[in-house]
Amino acid sequence: MSREFDIDPDDYVREKPGHQFLVRTEAYTDADVFELEMRRIFERTWIYVGHESELPDAGSFKTAQVGRQPIIVLRDKQGGLGAFFNRCVHRGAALLREAEGTVQELRCPYHGWVFDLSGKTRLVSERNDPGGYGPGFEQPEGLVPVPRLESYRGLLFVSMDPQIVPLERYLGLMKEVIDAKLDLSPTGRIVVASKPYVARYQGNWKLQTENIVDAYHFMHTHGAFVKLQAKFGDTTGDFGVHKGRSTREMREQRFRGATWSCLYGHGYAQVPAADTDALLDGEFGGLYRALHAQHGDEGFARIASKVTSTVFPSMGMIHQQIRVWRPISPEETEVLIYPYEIEGAPEAFNAGMLRSQERFYGPSGFGMTDDTEIFARVTQGLRADHVKWLVFDRGMDTDEQTASGDFRGLPSSEAPQRALWREWSRLMRRSASEA
């Protein structure tokens, strides 16, 4: 029997509703589990691959990995978007290796076959030369398209599963989070203009999925940064992202708002704005007053709140960035952080937010180095596999399930992490023959 069918998810995730939630150590460390995740999760869910603003012109492209599958996302001459497997249909060479760029056509570097921007085969080189292709040759129609490509407000997702639920249904409650972030723009649009921060860390991909929505860790993992903020306040250039306050005030901030465990594995943590009047009367009051007039009190409150979120399995939105993570092995993960600009916002607003991203998330920032160190420590600790389980019980007794099936938790509940593991268990249970 294939090893694929030997893994029972019930042996890896154990839940007693309201009381206990345990995850087995091998869910992070086992190579067979990792390979199964690539097939049953990454190649059968919606995976974020880019933003439409990154593909402005005919021939603009991005390359990406969906599980083990290399793909190209490409804009054609009519302005449409397509997604194709990054593989020549002749002898299998990858057509593009750059992360992004612009091409007039897709030419295979191995034997010179050419494909147009819609993926159609345009030229088979030396077709009629001696030793070439005879009259019965069946020329491939073109590149093989990825089964599904859909966009939500400019965010592009693909799926290898032609039968997967539509993207908007998959996003569910996360649409409200995305809407609130994009509605910070007067036009409702963002622009991904900066190059990403790229880093690799020693650890499993699920550590990043868990961490980005973990309100519990901040005061501990980022303790040195907390002390810096308490001492120097706004002079460190926080731009409102990590507000400089006393340690007590920062701790209180972390225990405001709510966490959410959503269907399909998504999760988020939300903290309401402490003082919307300060936004309306501050340096960028013109922007905020226009947004208040456009969306009303309730809508403006959502826009002004701070939300960290993850779209299962490998995309997050936090502050003014889109974050993507790619599994490489059970103990190695690549993370790309894309700061974005708010279309229609003052130039100083976008510049200030970019500076704040550099301060905390950039290669020499305070936050990213803290987190990658913790991931390495967790990875080291998980090698002690005589300890069988990790504990995700926090807040279970106070989580409330809504009519939609999502769970609302208190501010530092591990509700978002439980969303990940519930969906992980569901998908890993499916057999390879299921649609």
Side-chain angles (χ1 to χ4, degrees):
M1 180 178 292
S2 168
R3 173 66 173 136
E4 178 169 337
F5 302 106
D6 291 343
I7 295 172
D8 182 354
D10 289 336
D11 288 340
Y12 289 82
V13 179
R14 293 184 179 176
E15 178 177 6
K16 295 180 181 178
H19 298 285
Q20 187 181 67
F21 200 105
L22 302 175
V23 175
R24 193 179 184 91
T25 296
E26 286 81 2
Y28 297 88
T29 61
D30 187 88
D32 290 313
V33 170
F34 181 85
E35 291 301 325
L36 193 58
E37 289 173 339
M38 297 303 99
R39 294 193 292 276
R40 292 191 179 176
I41 295 178
F42 279 82
E43 295 178 14
R44 299 179 71 176
T45 54
W46 285 107
I47 301 295
Y48 174 81
V49 292
H51 187 266
E52 290 183 17
S53 63
E54 297 176 90
L55 304 161
D57 306 308
S60 297
F61 72 86
K62 282 197 71 179
T63 56
Q65 290 281 135
V66 178
R68 298 293 198 191
Q69 308 295 317
I71 71 163
I72 302 167
V73 184
L74 182 69
R75 192 176 292 278
D76 64 26
K77 290 184 177 179
Q78 288 70 47
L81 290 169
F84 305 94
F85 291 99
N86 189 2
R87 169 179 167 164
C88 180
V89 293
H90 174 219
R91 294 274 291 278
L95 295 168
L96 295 168
R97 302 191 77 180
E98 301 84 355
E100 59 183 30
T102 304
V103 292
Q104 298 298 315
E105 59 192 9
L106 298 169
R107 180 180 295 271
C108 180
Y110 196 2
H111 296 98
W113 284 34
V114 178
F115 307 89
D116 67 22
L117 298 181
S118 65
K120 302 296 183 184
T121 304
R122 180 178 153 196
L123 173 69
V124 174
S125 62
E126 292 87 41
R127 176 168 181 162
N128 299 316
D129 286 0
Y133 299 95
F137 171 59
E138 296 183 6
Q139 176 178 304
E141 182 178 347
L143 304 180
V144 177
V146 175
R148 297 284 291 275
L149 167 65
E150 292 186 21
S151 173
Y152 182 73
R153 295 195 64 171
L155 302 172
L156 297 169
F157 292 79
V158 300
S159 179
M160 302 297 161
D161 182 359
Q163 304 302 320
I164 195 170
V165 299
L167 177 61
E168 289 202 26
R169 178 179 167 190
Y170 180 77
L171 291 174
L173 198 59
M174 283 302 302
K175 289 188 295 182
E176 296 182 13
V177 174
I178 295 169
D179 290 345
K181 286 187 173 293
L182 271 58
D183 286 344
L184 183 57
S185 163
T187 66
R189 292 189 293 269
I190 62 172
V191 178
V192 178
S194 300
K195 298 293 184 181
Y197 309 142
V198 182
R200 290 193 179 191
Y201 68 80
Q202 181 187 2
N204 191 270
W205 65 272
K206 296 182 289 294
L207 299 179
Q208 173 66 101
T209 313
E210 294 165 352
N211 175 266
I212 194 172
V213 286
D214 188 327
Y216 187 23
H217 81 286
F218 191 91
M219 299 297 292
H220 307 281
T221 301
H222 305 299
F225 177 74
V226 167
K227 292 177 182 177
L228 181 76
Q229 287 292 85
K231 182 174 181 179
F232 294 104
D234 293 347
T235 61
T236 60
D238 63 34
F239 206 73
V241 171
H242 299 100
K243 198 70 177 170
R245 301 184 180 92
S246 70
T247 301
R248 178 186 58 78
E249 289 173 312
M250 280 187 275
R251 184 177 296 279
E252 289 176 353
Q253 173 78 358
R254 295 285 153 183
F255 288 89
R256 297 177 58 238
T259 54
W260 285 87
S261 170
C262 305
L263 298 177
Y264 296 108
H266 320 313
Y268 67 93
Q270 183 175 35
V271 179
D275 187 358
T276 55
D277 288 341
L279 298 177
L280 298 171
D281 298 331
E283 179 182 0
F284 302 105
L287 169 65
Y288 287 116
R289 287 192 294 273
L291 294 172
H292 185 270
Q294 183 178 353
H295 296 281
D297 290 342
E298 186 176 337
F300 182 71
R302 285 196 299 270
I303 293 168
S305 66
K306 304 292 184 184
V307 182
T308 61
S309 61
T310 181
V311 176
F312 181 86
S314 59
M315 178 263 205
M317 298 185 78
I318 177 172
H319 306 307
Q320 205 164 301
Q321 68 171 251
I322 296 169
R323 191 180 303 181
V324 184
W325 44 100
R326 180 173 72 88
I328 297 172
S329 74
E331 290 193 354
E332 187 176 13
T333 305
E334 181 178 79
V335 180
L336 296 92
I337 294 176
Y338 293 88
Y340 61 78
E341 296 180 1
I342 299 296
E343 187 176 271
E347 183 177 347
F349 183 92
N350 285 317
M353 287 298 294
L354 182 58
R355 298 290 84 78
S356 74
Q357 307 275 2
E358 292 170 341
R359 182 193 61 154
F360 196 75
Y361 300 104
S364 60
F366 293 97
M368 190 161 69
T369 50
D370 288 341
D371 287 329
T372 55
E373 167 66 13
I374 286 297
F375 297 159
R377 283 174 174 258
V378 172
T379 301
Q380 178 184 357
L382 290 175
R383 292 174 188 148
D385 58 5
H386 283 260
V387 184
K388 294 298 183 184
W389 302 98
L390 292 84
V391 180
F392 288 85
D393 295 3
R394 188 174 177 86
M396 280 194 79
D397 59 332
T398 51
D399 286 356
E400 297 178 356
Q401 189 169 20
T402 66
S404 64
D406 305 296
F407 289 87
R408 184 181 192 276
L410 294 178
S412 65
S413 170
E414 289 171 331
Q417 290 74 29
R418 288 188 286 273
L420 151 68
W421 285 108
R422 289 185 182 115
E423 183 65 1
W424 184 93
S425 183
R426 185 183 76 85
L427 294 177
M428 293 288 276
R429 187 172 285 108
R430 301 194 309 183
S431 70
S433 63
E434 284 183 86

